[in-house]
Structures are given as C-alpha cells and as structure tokens.
Amino acid sequence: MNILVLGAGQLARMMSLEGAPLDLNVRAYDVGSKKIIHPLTQQDFGQTLEQAIAMVDVITSEFEHIPDDVLALCCQSGKFYPGKAAIKTGGDRSIEKALLDKTGVPSAPYKLITEKQHLVEAVSLLELPLVIKTCQAGYDGKGQWRLTSRDQLDGIWAEMAGFIASGSADFPHTIIAEKMIPFDREVSVIGARDSQGNVKVYPVTENQHTNGVLTLSLAIEMDNNIQQQALEAFDKLALAMDYVGVLAIEFFDVNGTLMVNEIAPRVHNSGHWTQQGTACSQFENHLRAVAGLPLGDTQAQKPTAMINVLGQGNIPTKVLSIADVKSHWYGKSQRAGRKMGHINVSAANQVELGEKLQQLAEILPEQDYPGVAATAQRLLTS
C-alpha cells in the first residue's frame, strides 16, 4: 500500500521506518519545496501533488499547518485521514476551544481577541495573570505572551496587533487570552482510532518543558483516575471529529483534575517513548489506522523515558553503552534549539529507570539536557 504524508519532517521519517515492515510505502509532500520526496533518502520522485494523490491509496499528515489549497485537494480525493475538521482544529486554537466547549471537555477559561478592547475585557473577565496565544501558527511556545500586570497591556497589544494585521479576509488572524492555570504538571495522552470507531489508547505520559519546548517525557505507572479522565476526553474528542489516526491531547494536571491545554491531530513528540516502551508504537498505529489495518497493542511493556536532543549535532557515544538506551536521529542540519533527535531509555521497573537516567545525567550536560538528573533522583527516592 502506498501512503502520502503531508509534511517531510521527522514524523514522516519515523512513519516511513515503521511502515516498511508492514509493506506500507511512505512518500512525503514537502510543503515548502512542493516536491514529493522519500522521507528517509530525500529522493525526489519528480511528481506533482496531483500525480502523487492519484497514485497513493491513503493520504495523512505529520503537522497541522497545511495550506488550504493543499488540504482541499487532498480532501477531494476521499483518501485523506484524519480529515479536514481535525486538521483545522489542531491548527487554530479558536476552533479547538469551540470543540472543547461543545464536547464538555474541561479547559482554561478564555476570550477571543481581534481588537484592543477585547484584551481589556479579558483582563476584567478572566483576571490577571493571563496566557495569550496566537490562534494560528503557534508551536513550541512561539506566539505566546504572559500578561501579569496592567502596565504590560500596551506593549503586548502592540505585538499582538502586528500578528492580527498580518492576516487576511480569507485567512484572518486571531488571538486567544486564557486564564493562567496554576498546575502541578503537564501530562498527555495519545490514542489511535480507526474508521470503524475502534480505539486503542496509550498510558498517560508526564511531560517536562524548558522555555516552552518539550525536553523529557516519562511513561511510568500513573494514577488510574488520571488515566480515566484522559481516556474520557480522548473518546469525546475523537468521536466528535470522527477521527481516524493517532490523536494527541496535552493536559494540565490541577490537583488531580485534567484540563486540556492543546490538541494535536497527529503523532506527537510526547509519544516517541512508544517506540521502545510498547509493542506497537504511535507511528505504526497511526499507519495501521489510516490504512485500515487492525490497531496494535498500546499497553506499556516497561517504564520508559524519552529525552529530546535539542540543537546538538551528536550525543556522547558512551550513552549507547547503557543497556536499553537507543538514539533516534532526524537527519536535520544543526541549529540552536532545533529538535535534532531523541533518546529513549527503558527499564524493568521505575527504580531501575531512575538508575539508568542517573547514568545518563552523568554523561549528558544539564544545560543541554535539563531535568534528566532531577527525574532520576525523583524515581530513586519515590
């Protein structure tokens, strides 16, 4: 079976790697160059998008920000999953909030902003502090502001106004202000749903961020109440979108109650641990779902951690001398802060995982791999 992925980055690359053993042949559409390429070898197939759509059996996506004309063309083919509604939801926070309201899934109180008066009203309605986000084109902490004092209002509005003005009548830009929620931690759930409505959900993962970018994900035993809340949210949202494929949902854990932070209609960074911690990774399950194959097992086989490699051209080779440690590289040119790859580490139990993370912390510099040492200490003393 031939599958076309919209987007030619690391997620398409990993889908290709996971698809080959299932005889699922993945090609990627590079949105920037408008070329159809092999996501691993970068071979240019010399096809137009229209030609690629005609020759593949299924079309899917590795990201949300797909040009509207490309999305329309793919949807017209009847081959595109997870579908236009899901992609639009993941790419626009105002649509995302409307879906959460409709399904009754908890999230932070908010107000949409298109003019300065709306921002003034948000301060009165929601009270400070506020988290302000662009509804379109935001990722990894970009396009966000923190409003903690009324003195900041004019300065932040000047930056917001520039983003709003850069929109058009066909593609308006909007901004959302949310009440800042004091939370204990961020967690995420990733699940797969097929066209028949069958669902398989992975265990909830705890995520750690540095400057708005995910640095470490921890898949260990989680309170059953948290897992149940995440499963209920997944079921409601996937059903409402008639979703097909892998869906990721990020939550704030507020004293044991989950509130949605963000929805991602695709495989997700916080699910990379599934490559080593489960029998069927998120990448394989996404391909299975869109290709009409039975969904694979999502149970955790062993405690696992994922460490992002940010801006580093290589990792110390000593890392690979530790048992059950594997590296995954994305084939990117090096740039400060860029996601270059990730490291997965598994163990028989949480204490052993703590010991392995401690070994890694002695090799990996804290400034480049924040949180590894602290997570190791926590697992060893809990």
Side-chain angles (χ1 to χ4, degrees):
M1 179 179 285
N2 296 312
I3 297 176
L4 178 66
V5 177
L6 302 180
Q10 66 261 30
L11 302 181
R13 177 187 177 94
M14 286 182 273
M15 279 189 245
S16 180
L17 287 167
E18 298 274 354
L22 293 172
D23 198 26
L24 300 175
N25 304 305
V26 174
R27 296 186 177 194
Y29 175 67
D30 187 320
V31 173
S33 68
K34 299 184 179 180
K35 292 179 179 180
I36 305 297
I37 65 170
H38 192 287
L40 291 175
T41 66
Q42 302 299 299
Q43 174 191 350
D44 182 352
F45 290 106
Q47 291 179 310
T48 64
L49 177 59
E50 290 83 356
Q51 289 171 330
I53 290 172
M55 67 84 63
V56 300
D57 303 286
V58 174
I59 307 166
T60 189
S61 175
E62 69 154 10
F63 74 133
E64 305 92 304
H65 304 296
I66 302 169
D68 221 51
D69 58 335
V70 172
L71 186 58
L73 199 61
C74 292
C75 289
Q76 286 168 11
S77 72
K79 302 175 182 179
F80 182 67
Y81 300 102
K84 183 176 182 178
I87 295 298
K88 288 292 189 182
T89 299
D92 191 318
R93 287 189 172 98
S94 63
I95 300 174
E96 179 181 273
K97 281 291 192 181
L99 175 66
L100 293 168
D101 289 344
K102 177 184 174 182
T103 55
V105 176
S107 69
Y110 70 97
K111 183 173 178 60
L112 294 177
I113 297 171
T114 56
E115 57 185 65
K116 186 174 183 180
Q117 182 57 32
H118 295 158
L119 180 59
V120 174
E121 292 169 1
V123 172
S124 299
L125 177 67
L126 303 175
E127 300 181 343
L128 297 178
L130 298 179
V131 180
I132 301 168
K133 308 173 183 178
T134 58
C135 288
Q136 304 83 22
Y139 65 97
D140 285 346
K142 295 177 174 62
Q144 295 190 18
W145 300 266
R146 299 289 187 272
L147 181 58
T148 58
S149 166
R150 289 177 181 269
D151 295 339
Q152 299 172 280
L153 200 148
D154 289 341
I156 287 179
W157 169 250
E159 295 180 26
M160 293 166 59
F163 175 77
I164 292 172
S166 67
S168 65
D170 291 333
F171 303 104
H173 280 177
T174 54
I175 287 177
I176 192 168
E178 293 182 340
K179 185 175 181 62
M180 189 178 289
I181 303 296
F183 59 92
D184 302 315
R185 58 181 176 171
E186 184 186 283
V187 300
S188 62
V189 71
I190 292 172
R193 183 178 186 269
D194 67 18
S195 60
Q196 306 303 309
N198 298 307
V199 169
K200 291 284 187 73
V201 177
Y202 292 95
V204 171
T205 305
E206 180 180 323
N207 303 317
Q208 300 174 23
H209 291 78
T210 304
N211 299 323
V213 180
L214 180 66
T215 46
L216 188 149
S217 287
L218 190 61
I220 58 175
E221 187 174 349
M222 190 77 66
D223 180 87
N224 188 59
N225 178 51
I226 294 292
Q227 186 74 31
Q228 189 58 39
Q229 289 181 65
L231 178 58
E232 289 175 3
F234 181 91
D235 284 342
K236 287 179 180 179
L237 294 171
L239 180 62
M241 291 186 285
D242 193 21
Y243 199 89
V244 177
V246 159
L247 173 68
I249 309 171
E250 297 179 350
F251 302 90
F252 296 133
D253 178 359
V254 185
N255 297 320
T257 298
L258 296 187
M259 301 180 71
V260 171
N261 175 38
E262 206 165 78
I263 299 169
R266 54 176 169 81
V267 290
H268 192 261
N269 197 177
S270 68
H272 291 356
W273 70 272
T274 62
Q275 292 172 300
Q276 196 162 325
T278 66
C280 187
S281 77
Q282 64 164 345
F283 303 102
E284 181 178 338
N285 254 334
H286 181 73
L287 293 176
R288 283 176 176 239
V290 301
L293 300 175
L295 298 179
D297 187 6
T298 55
Q299 294 184 63
Q301 295 186 322
K302 47 196 171 183
T304 304
M306 186 282 302
I307 303 164
N308 264 339
V309 179
L310 301 174
Q312 305 299 306
N314 54 66
I315 59 173
T317 55
K318 191 176 179 182
V319 163
L320 299 178
S321 68
I322 302 171
D324 297 314
V325 170
K326 293 186 178 181
S327 64
H328 299 262
W329 289 95
Y330 304 158
K332 294 180 175 180
S333 57
Q334 187 177 3
R335 189 172 69 220
R338 193 178 200 186
K339 291 179 181 176
M340 302 294 295
H342 65 271
I343 300 165
N344 282 340
V345 52
S346 297
N349 53 59
Q350 291 187 30
V351 171
E352 185 179 299
L353 181 60
E355 291 171 348
K356 290 183 178 180
L357 286 172
Q358 189 173 60
Q359 288 179 270
L360 285 169
E362 293 170 359
I363 302 169
L364 300 173
E366 170 68 22
Q367 69 268 21
D368 298 324
Y369 301 91
V372 177
T375 301
Q377 185 63 22
R378 186 182 122 204
L379 292 178
L380 290 171
T381 57
S382 60

